[in-house]
Amino acid sequence: VELSGLDEGAAEEHADEGEHAGEEGHGHGGFNEHVWYDLPAMAKLADAVADELGTLDEANADAYRDRADAFITELQSVQDRLAALAAEGPGGVVAVTEPVPAYLLEAAGLEDGTPEEFGEAIEEETDVPVAVLEEMKSLVSGGTLAFLAYNGQTEGAQTEAVRAAADEAGLPVLDFTETLPDGEDYISWMTANTDSIEAALRS
């Protein structure tokens, strides 16, 4: 299925964002592939899929469109909540063990202060340089962050050490996953992520 609406619109738009993200340390030098955390891109995807399926199966085109519209409406309510958090700003600075939720955090008006070398090493499954690990631990212990965004699916000794430093400092740790949790659908997943961000920012 060729999803031209997403490929030419969202991907191009977020390639630019990814380059900017890499400069601030929450990408890895280019496009952030965790695009399923980008809610506007997912709305475009749903729209493109409905159009494509409607073309391939014209008899059920209205059903595809209705389902896509319902999904987009539900997704918009989550986007509105994130926009409201951003409008309250400044949302503050966060650290991430991997830039999985970067798009969602940006939508909430948050800035990623993670040392670039830390994120790159975790994503590439290489050891974080000792000095960079100490910098990350100092960051989460320093009392300047809103929370630590933690991806348990890439957990290792070094990310565990960062989480331990955050716990010791009393910094909230929010868990984000790369894959859909059991028993969830996409809307409930992103709603739960938004709930946790909102609770951390308003606590």
Side-chain angles (χ1 to χ4, degrees):
V1 177
E2 181 182 355
L3 304 177
S4 57
L6 176 67
D7 293 342
E8 296 173 7
E12 187 174 306
E13 172 186 347
H14 296 299
D16 294 338
E17 289 180 4
E19 290 172 5
H20 178 68
E23 292 168 4
E24 295 188 357
H26 54 247
H28 40 94
F31 177 64
N32 183 344
E33 73 274 18
H34 306 104
V35 69
W36 55 96
Y37 267 91
D38 184 327
L39 305 193
M42 293 302 97
K44 290 181 180 180
L45 175 62
D47 192 54
V49 168
D51 285 347
E52 186 71 14
L53 290 175
T55 299
L56 296 172
D57 180 15
E58 293 184 7
N60 292 301
D62 288 344
Y64 297 131
R65 172 49 50 195
D66 288 345
R67 290 178 182 177
D69 287 347
F71 174 83
I72 292 168
T73 297
E74 288 185 281
L75 197 57
Q76 185 61 53
S77 68
V78 182
Q79 293 182 69
D80 290 345
R81 290 179 60 196
L82 293 166
L85 289 173
E88 291 175 6
V93 180
V94 300
V96 302
T97 57
E98 191 180 5
V100 170
Y103 292 123
L104 203 69
L105 300 178
E106 290 169 5
L110 296 164
E111 178 185 347
D112 184 359
T114 309
E116 184 173 359
E117 287 182 81
F118 183 90
E120 288 177 350
I122 297 302
E123 285 202 285
E124 293 168 8
E125 299 182 353
T126 61
D127 287 339
V128 178
V130 174
V132 176
L133 179 58
E134 291 305 312
E135 181 184 357
M136 181 68 162
K137 289 165 65 177
S138 295
L139 178 65
V140 301
S141 301
T144 61
L145 300 180
F147 58 80
L148 171 67
Y150 192 82
N151 178 12
Q153 291 175 308
T154 55
E155 189 172 58
Q158 293 176 314
T159 58
E160 289 173 347
V162 170
R163 181 168 193 148
D167 287 339
E168 186 175 347
L171 179 69
V173 179
L174 308 188
D175 291 303
F176 294 91
T177 61
E178 293 192 57
T179 55
L180 184 70
D182 290 341
E184 301 279 0
D185 60 30
Y186 183 79
I187 296 295
S188 66
W189 182 27
M190 290 300 141
T191 297
N193 286 328
T194 301
D195 288 344
S196 67
I197 293 171
E198 187 175 57
L201 294 181
R202 292 180 173 169
S203 62

